[in-house]
Amino acid sequence: MTTYIEIELVKLKKKLLELGAKVEDSLRQSVLALAGRDRKLAETIIEQETTIDTLEVEFEEECLKVLALHQPVARDLRFIVSALKINNDLERIGDLAANIAERAVFLSKRDVIDSPYDVLGMADHARNMVRKSLDAFANLDEETAREVCTIDEKIDRLNREAYPKVTRAMQENPEHLEQLINYISISRYLERVADHSTNIAEDVLALLGGEIVRHRLEEMPEPDRDTSDSEGA
Amino acid sequence: MTTYIEIELVKLKKKLLELGAKVEDSLRQSVLALAGRDRKLAETIIEQETTIDTLEVEFEEECLKVLALHQPVARDLRFIVSALKINNDLERIGDLAANIAERAVFLSKRDVIDSPYDVLGMADHARNMVRKSLDAFANLDEETAREVCTIDEKIDRLNREAYPKVTRAMQENPEHLEQLINYISISRYLERVADHSTNIAEDVLALLGGEIVRHRLEEMPEPDRDTSDSEGA
């Protein structure tokens, strides 16, 4: 027999995955706009941000209603608290997609320059992480959730490697400083998209294991982080 | 008569404010380390990040317990959900303090250069916002919460203005590119500290008004954000 609370939880999950699909789409399109110097598309994504914000607020209200009406405990309660956190992470990924779109608008009006690092490859990894973290949540799939955490390490590395590359390009082409600063921003935005996806994956792991795994997966701070990177955070 | 749930909520609030005080202190010290080129202090703050992470996880578990055991409704429920979100924002401010400390370590090993923008003034505003947002939460004080949102606009402006200043400094002193990139990062970190403080203030306003005000306070996206700033996000 399916209980009322189970029906509510299925509804919440469906709604959250719909928001996730919208956010993933915004991110995909912001990268397309960047790659194609498509200012119109970029502006559309910037406008869509408010829709995502509204959906986030609505979802939170629905979670509060389910909490108040059904007073779930144990696993159901943990599911809703995780859903609230995932909701928040998705909204931030939506913000970051809009940030990338803003950089795309800026860059579309300047001379074309090559990105000093593989920005599209990095964006692919980031988008892949968003999709996989949502898949992990949809299927409560531990393996996929762990995969997300692994890709995160790769993106952290790519972000660290981007800085000396951009610095070198700045030294060689000081006339492109403005554009190059924007490429630094984009690298950081993608790295933050990856972080939020990792948060989602860690919430899935917590749901599966019943305990909070986040932070434990993170590497401990090294005694001296300043080795090869001029900017690593 | 004081009910059990009231006692629990007072305990949660106290605990969250303790975490807030720790985070505020980390931020204060990371700026001191930056200003004083104090590598040892900066490294201490980087190490403290894990303590803050642990406190965040513990606090979340306690909220879950109170939710499960006392099944609060209405205002009490909303209080706990807000507390969970504030907990998350505080942990991220702690991360950002550690990020600033990492930049302080890097800069302490390079030639001294002047920051192209008033980094200490901007840091003062950011720290002020953290403290005020915590005060607003402690006293459920609407006026202070609104003040935080106003200071946020100022920090957004300072961050936007920092970019052209740093770009100009890069053009004039290309030999300081590496240090200057770090100053861009610090400006962005401070701007994100301000954003998280604003989230906290908006949660306080939501608690007071019983409705979610966040996003409504934000300005609508402008048709073209690329006017004077080379990097505005």
Side-chain angles (χ1 to χ4, degrees):
Chain A
M1 207 192 89
T2 310
T3 60
Y4 282 125
I5 176 83
E6 280 167 20
I7 295 170
E8 293 298 334
L9 295 186
V10 168
K11 274 197 219 161
L12 286 179
K13 187 172 179 174
K14 188 167 169 284
K15 205 142 204 167
L16 193 57
L17 287 170
E18 281 167 9
L19 174 61
K22 270 204 174 53
V23 166
E24 194 195 327
D25 196 53
S26 273
L27 179 63
R28 194 180 57 82
Q29 299 212 56
S30 69
V31 176
L32 277 181
L34 177 73
R37 295 172 65 80
D38 187 338
R39 182 173 161 185
K40 218 176 147 72
L41 178 60
E43 284 170 348
T44 311
I45 296 153
I46 296 169
E47 282 160 25
Q48 276 169 5
E49 195 194 335
T50 47
T51 314
I52 290 175
D53 288 350
T54 309
L55 290 173
E56 187 217 2
V57 172
E58 284 173 11
F59 184 80
E60 189 171 316
E61 286 300 315
E62 283 180 49
C63 285
L64 277 164
K65 262 185 225 155
V66 175
L67 281 172
L69 290 175
H70 298 277
Q71 313 209 319
V73 289
R75 208 182 153 94
D76 294 344
L77 173 61
R78 201 173 277 274
F79 177 87
I80 296 182
V81 171
S82 296
L84 279 166
K85 289 167 69 186
I86 293 173
N87 183 43
N88 211 249
D89 281 305
L90 287 174
E91 187 265 332
R92 305 238 171 136
I93 295 174
D95 277 353
L96 290 162
N99 291 151
I100 293 171
E102 285 165 12
R103 297 305 107 217
V105 169
F106 179 89
L107 288 166
S108 74
K109 297 183 199 163
R110 299 294 188 284
D111 291 344
V112 187
I113 64 157
D114 286 334
S115 170
Y117 62 94
D118 180 11
V119 64
L120 298 182
M122 193 171 166
D124 262 350
H125 284 306
R127 225 174 51 223
N128 194 15
M129 281 180 74
V130 177
R131 203 187 52 246
K132 273 187 194 289
S133 70
L134 291 169
D135 286 349
F137 175 67
N139 309 314
L140 290 181
D141 174 357
E142 183 175 339
E143 201 182 328
T144 309
R146 294 205 181 274
E147 229 177 292
V148 173
C149 302
T150 311
I151 313 175
D152 188 44
E153 288 167 24
K154 194 182 226 159
I155 298 226
D156 282 346
R157 186 172 50 74
L158 290 175
N159 180 48
R160 272 198 305 276
E161 289 171 357
Y163 280 87
K165 289 179 184 171
V166 174
T167 310
R168 210 156 36 240
M170 285 174 161
Q171 280 157 344
E172 287 163 8
N173 305 293
E175 72 279 15
H176 294 150
L177 270 177
E178 277 195 315
Q179 287 104 307
L180 289 165
I181 287 185
N182 278 271
Y183 276 106
I184 291 190
S185 304
I186 294 168
S187 172
R188 186 107 40 110
Y189 294 147
L190 291 171
E191 189 259 335
R192 281 173 60 203
V193 166
D195 279 349
H196 288 295
S197 306
T198 306
N199 290 348
I200 295 172
E202 288 177 354
D203 272 322
V204 172
L205 290 175
L207 266 176
L208 289 169
E211 54 168 334
I212 297 175
V213 291
R214 99 179 164 281
H215 304 311
R216 293 187 204 154
L217 289 167
E218 288 172 11
E219 288 172 90
M220 292 295 107
E222 293 151 29
D224 184 358
R225 298 198 189 188
D226 169 37
T227 48
S228 64
D229 53 319
S230 70
E231 223 292 1
Chain B
M1 206 192 88
T2 309
T3 60
Y4 282 125
I5 176 83
E6 280 167 21
I7 295 170
E8 293 298 333
L9 295 185
V10 168
K11 273 197 219 162
L12 285 179
K13 187 172 179 176
K14 188 168 169 281
K15 205 143 204 167
L16 194 56
L17 288 170
E18 281 167 8
L19 173 61
K22 270 204 174 53
V23 166
E24 193 194 328
D25 194 54
S26 273
L27 180 63
R28 194 180 57 80
Q29 297 211 55
S30 69
V31 176
L32 276 182
L34 177 73
R37 296 171 65 79
D38 187 340
R39 183 172 161 188
K40 217 176 148 72
L41 178 61
E43 284 170 348
T44 311
I45 296 152
I46 296 169
E47 282 160 26
Q48 275 169 4
E49 195 194 335
T50 48
T51 313
I52 291 175
D53 288 350
T54 308
L55 290 173
E56 186 216 4
V57 171
E58 284 174 7
F59 184 80
E60 190 172 316
E61 286 299 315
E62 282 180 49
C63 286
L64 277 163
K65 263 185 223 156
V66 175
L67 281 172
L69 291 175
H70 298 277
Q71 311 210 321
V73 290
R75 207 183 154 92
D76 294 343
L77 173 59
R78 201 173 278 274
F79 177 86
I80 295 182
V81 170
S82 296
L84 279 167
K85 289 166 69 187
I86 292 173
N87 184 42
N88 211 246
D89 280 307
L90 287 174
E91 187 266 332
R92 305 238 172 136
I93 295 174
D95 277 353
L96 290 162
N99 291 151
I100 293 170
E102 284 166 11
R103 298 304 107 217
V105 170
F106 179 90
L107 289 167
S108 73
K109 297 184 200 164
R110 299 292 188 284
D111 290 345
V112 187
I113 65 159
D114 284 336
S115 171
Y117 61 94
D118 180 10
V119 63
L120 298 183
M122 192 171 168
D124 262 349
H125 283 306
R127 224 175 47 222
N128 194 15
M129 281 179 74
V130 177
R131 202 187 51 245
K132 274 188 194 291
S133 70
L134 290 169
D135 285 349
F137 174 68
N139 310 314
L140 289 181
D141 173 356
E142 182 173 341
E143 200 181 328
T144 309
R146 293 205 180 275
E147 228 177 291
V148 173
C149 302
T150 311
I151 313 175
D152 187 42
E153 288 166 27
K154 193 182 227 162
I155 296 229
D156 282 346
R157 186 171 51 71
L158 290 175
N159 180 48
R160 272 197 305 276
E161 289 171 356
Y163 280 88
K165 288 179 185 171
V166 174
T167 311
R168 210 158 35 243
M170 284 174 164
Q171 281 156 344
E172 288 164 7
N173 304 293
E175 72 279 14
H176 294 150
L177 269 176
E178 279 196 312
Q179 287 103 309
L180 290 165
I181 286 185
N182 278 271
Y183 276 107
I184 291 189
S185 304
I186 294 168
S187 173
R188 187 108 41 106
Y189 294 146
L190 291 171
E191 188 260 335
R192 282 172 60 203
V193 166
D195 279 349
H196 288 294
S197 306
T198 307
N199 289 349
I200 295 172
E202 288 178 355
D203 273 321
V204 172
L205 291 174
L207 265 175
L208 289 168
E211 55 168 333
I212 298 176
V213 291
R214 95 178 167 282
H215 304 313
R216 293 186 206 155
L217 289 168
E218 289 172 11
E219 287 172 273
M220 292 293 108
E222 292 150 27
D224 185 356
R225 296 199 188 187
D226 170 34
T227 48
S228 64
D229 54 316
S230 68
E231 224 293 2

